[in-house]
Amino acid sequence: MSDNSTPETSPRIVIIGAGMAGILTVIKLREAGYDNFVVYEKADRIGGTWRENTYPGIACDVPAHLYTYSFEPNPDWSSTFASGPEIQAYFERVAEKYDVMRHIRFNEAVPHVEFKDGRWHIRTASGREDVADFLVAATGVLHHPHVADIPGLDSFTGACFHSAQWDHSVPLEGKRVGVIGTGSTAIQITSALVDKVSRFDLFQRTAQWISPIDNHVYTEEEKERFRTDPAFLQAVRDEINAEFGRFSNAVIDADSQEMKDIEAACLANLEDNVKDPVLREKLRPNYRAGCKRLIFSSDFYQAIQHPSAHVVTTPIERVEADGVRLADGELRDLDVLVVATGFRVDSFIRPTTVLGRDGVNLDDVWAEGPLAYMSISVPGFPNFFMLNGPNGPVGNFSLIQIAEHQVAYILQLMDKVRRGECREVSATPNATADFEQRRMAAAKKSIWSTGCKSWYLDKNGVPASWPWSRARFFEEMAKPVLDDYDLAS
Ligand code: NAP
């Protein structure tokens, strides 16, 4: 079975993943005049993270008008921060409108890709084979659930699932529900569930900074104006973009006044809204605000003071048949246990086996941790590009904005091949090593390096993120520095 039927003159491009970045890639490839491409998607629907994560209360903490493709504004966003289903519906609408769907092969996981004889050979789990000039990994970051290694998890006799694998067949009404973790996910679940269950236990290992937000519900009049007055909608988007930009820039300088102001606002939020001094102390973080991903919530502090809610800070000893046994011997008996312990963020395209030039395995190249020049290209892996790849600017940027800049950058490299200027493009080892060295030095000054545990940190404790300003990211993405690439004929 082969999908490689279009003439050789049009480079063939295989994209893995039909989430936000995969959809974007198809739209932009077509716009640039490419017509020979396919998306392999492991699931039966588009949407990536918004398809997978369906937990109660799911929403995006990037303002909706910023978490939107620049070329496809959405006047109908219901509120400042959109819910997961609303975002999923947006992507489905965009994919239909831009005729993306017919390019996607669903239920096609890609376990193996190999660069051989100057082209990428792709094999899907169903046995389909493809040969491409370019391979684009649009496989997401927060993708592979991390189930905490808590003893006895399997012995629980009630319902137990990871937040990204929510079992909607399990009734919650009137049940005793426990949630392990206090990341963005657990905080949103808390707000959604406390008034529906009989008891809600939040198992907290580390307290969180909660930034207060005003989640404004757009009125029909506002939405109508967004629809009929594109300049007004653009002005609103520009304003949100500028505000969010200030925040994105603040996090890279731990000593900045902005970070101190954010911390003061979060502290005031805690002091003003949590009345019980014992609970307040439990919820008081002992590290810098923004060190972990800052949590934006308009209602968590109210929710956690609901009569059903309990913040459990005694460490978990183990999980037993009836619930969670704490280190002090207490058993928190439960009907449902939700494991909201985050994601394995260093996987990227893996578990796909990726073999580059001369059969070199990406797993071996990444043995010390994933890295890529500009988070896009890996030496020895020609014509292979990653979107939202390793050490990319995940820290409080809109991932859509990032992906748009990355696709525009990648297209410039692809065009070199299309114009016949070279056949293979990959970052040089020197440029990659130099980029990594500069990146790591700068990362140490960021708020993420101020002494907390978070998924931003790599295994050596260095933030795996873009450590410079947002403006600098946009500038560096505007045009590839060709000296940093091997352009092989
Ligand atoms: P996360 O931020 O990585 O949080 C994982 C939580 O699990 C932490 O509270 C962690 O505690 C806890 N944990 C891990 N192992 C544990 C163990 N063995 N015992 C007890 N607790 C344990 O994961 P997440 O909440 O799923 O969020 C991940 C990211 O997804 C977010 O930062 C955000 O970027 C994205 N997200 C975004 C939104 C949104 O609004 N856009 C919503 C949800 C998720 P420690 O803090 O002590 O390590």
Side-chain angles (χ1 to χ4, degrees):
M1 200 167 19
S2 173
D3 243 357
N4 185 24
S5 50
T6 319
E8 294 293 308
T9 46
S10 181
R12 177 143 181 95
I13 301 147
V14 161
I15 301 147
I16 306 180
M20 172 277 287
I23 295 166
L24 170 71
T25 307
V26 169
I27 295 171
K28 291 294 164 185
L29 280 173
R30 189 182 304 115
E31 212 175 272
Y34 291 88
D35 58 6
N36 186 7
F37 47 80
V38 65
V39 183
Y40 292 115
E41 165 57 54
K42 68 175 178 179
D44 60 1
R45 267 196 328 144
I46 64 145
T49 198
W50 302 105
R51 175 196 64 227
E52 305 279 302
N53 284 272
T54 60
Y55 60 79
I58 182 168
C60 183
D61 60 3
V62 175
H65 283 293
L66 196 57
Y67 198 77
T68 304
Y69 295 122
S70 61
F71 53 88
E72 189 58 27
N74 178 17
D76 293 314
W77 287 124
S78 62
S79 47
T80 316
F81 297 91
S83 73
E86 201 179 351
I87 296 168
Q88 173 70 15
Y90 168 77
F91 286 127
E92 286 174 359
R93 237 178 15 250
V94 173
E96 287 293 349
K97 176 173 171 183
Y98 287 83
D99 194 22
V100 173
M101 302 300 269
R102 72 189 167 90
H103 297 286
I104 307 173
R105 304 281 171 272
F106 289 104
N107 301 306
E108 290 281 20
V110 177
H112 187 95
V113 296
E114 185 170 358
F115 189 76
K116 224 171 28 188
D117 306 325
R119 300 184 86 196
W120 282 99
H121 295 250
I122 292 102
R123 198 173 65 231
T124 73
S126 74
R128 188 186 287 267
E129 293 191 351
D130 205 332
V131 183
D133 301 287
F134 296 105
L135 180 66
V136 178
T139 44
V141 187
L142 299 159
H143 179 180
H144 301 284
H146 161 69
V147 179
D149 189 16
I150 298 171
L153 212 47
D154 288 346
S155 64
F156 184 59
T157 52
C160 178
F161 43 82
H162 188 273
S163 56
Q165 295 159 337
W166 199 273
D167 184 346
H168 291 277
S169 71
V170 174
L172 301 171
E173 204 84 14
K175 302 289 182 194
R176 299 160 302 171
V177 176
V179 174
I180 301 177
T182 50
S184 307
T185 301
I187 298 299
Q188 292 179 345
I189 294 172
T190 302
S191 299
L193 287 191
V194 284
D195 60 353
K196 297 185 176 56
V197 300
S198 66
R199 201 183 76 224
F200 184 90
D201 284 354
L202 183 66
F203 294 95
Q204 171 186 289
R205 190 165 67 176
T206 311
Q208 284 282 7
W209 288 101
I210 310 286
S211 177
I213 48 162
D214 172 22
N215 193 11
H216 171 68
V217 176
Y218 293 117
T219 62
E220 273 316 309
E221 290 72 31
E222 283 171 309
K223 287 191 246 178
E224 184 55 20
R225 183 149 182 222
F226 288 150
R227 274 179 222 119
T228 54
D229 186 352
F232 175 66
L233 177 52
Q234 190 54 46
V236 169
R237 297 179 76 191
D238 289 347
E239 192 185 318
I240 297 171
N241 191 28
E243 201 176 315
F244 213 71
R246 279 192 291 280
F247 178 51
S248 290
N249 289 341
V251 292
I252 57 170
D253 178 5
D255 296 327
S256 63
Q257 188 56 43
E258 289 96 325
M259 286 319 298
K260 290 173 189 153
D261 293 347
I262 288 167
E263 191 157 310
C266 293
L267 207 52
N269 188 27
L270 175 67
E271 301 291 347
D272 295 348
N273 292 302
V274 181
K275 299 295 166 212
D276 172 8
V278 175
L279 178 61
R280 197 162 59 226
E281 289 321 301
K282 278 187 179 180
L283 294 173
R284 190 185 299 280
N286 61 359
Y287 54 93
R288 295 281 310 273
C291 183
K292 288 172 182 287
R293 187 182 174 96
L294 196 61
I295 294 189
F296 297 91
S297 176
S298 58
D299 53 10
F300 171 70
Y301 284 147
Q302 281 71 31
I304 203 64
Q305 294 173 87
H306 189 278
S308 73
H310 304 267
V311 179
V312 181
T313 53
T314 309
I316 295 171
E317 180 78 22
R318 62 181 177 274
V319 176
E320 298 181 356
D322 294 332
V324 173
R325 179 76 63 185
L326 304 178
D328 62 5
E330 185 190 358
L331 176 72
R332 303 296 295 188
D333 48 342
L334 298 166
D335 302 304
V336 180
L337 181 58
V338 179
V339 184
T341 50
F343 297 86
R344 295 199 327 265
V345 293
D346 62 354
S347 297
F348 299 100
I349 188 175
R350 298 176 294 181
T352 303
T353 299
V354 184
L355 303 180
R357 197 182 271 138
D358 303 325
V360 172
N361 193 320
L362 189 64
D363 270 341
D364 295 330
V365 176
W366 284 359
E368 293 304 311
L371 57 85
Y373 171 73
M374 299 295 282
S375 99
I376 279 179
S377 174
V378 183
F381 293 74
N383 300 357
F384 168 56
F385 303 118
M386 284 173 284
L387 298 173
N388 287 308
N391 310 314
V394 290
N396 297 98
F397 285 51
S398 160
L399 287 188
I400 298 187
Q401 239 177 2
I402 297 165
E404 286 195 18
H405 283 80
Q406 291 177 328
V407 170
Y409 177 100
I410 289 167
L411 278 169
Q412 296 178 58
L413 296 173
M414 285 183 176
D415 277 352
K416 297 233 143 256
V417 176
R418 182 166 60 169
R419 288 198 298 265
E421 293 172 30
C422 60
R423 287 188 58 84
E424 296 175 9
V425 180
S426 57
T428 66
N430 279 350
T432 307
D434 178 59
F435 174 76
E436 266 304 277
Q437 200 182 17
R438 287 183 291 113
R439 187 191 67 75
M440 286 197 281
K444 288 177 184 155
K445 296 185 195 126
S446 71
I447 194 72
W448 312 302
S449 279
T450 52
C452 69
K453 200 161 155 268
S454 86
W455 66 266
Y456 286 157
L457 304 179
D458 67 17
K459 66 179 182 191
N460 300 315
V462 179
S465 193
W466 177 265
W468 300 291
S469 71
R470 202 170 64 145
R472 178 163 169 181
F473 175 72
F474 294 159
E475 268 162 37
E476 295 202 13
M477 279 288 110
K479 202 168 184 309
V481 175
L482 293 177
D483 284 349
D484 289 350
Y485 283 91
D486 278 327
L487 304 171
S489 302

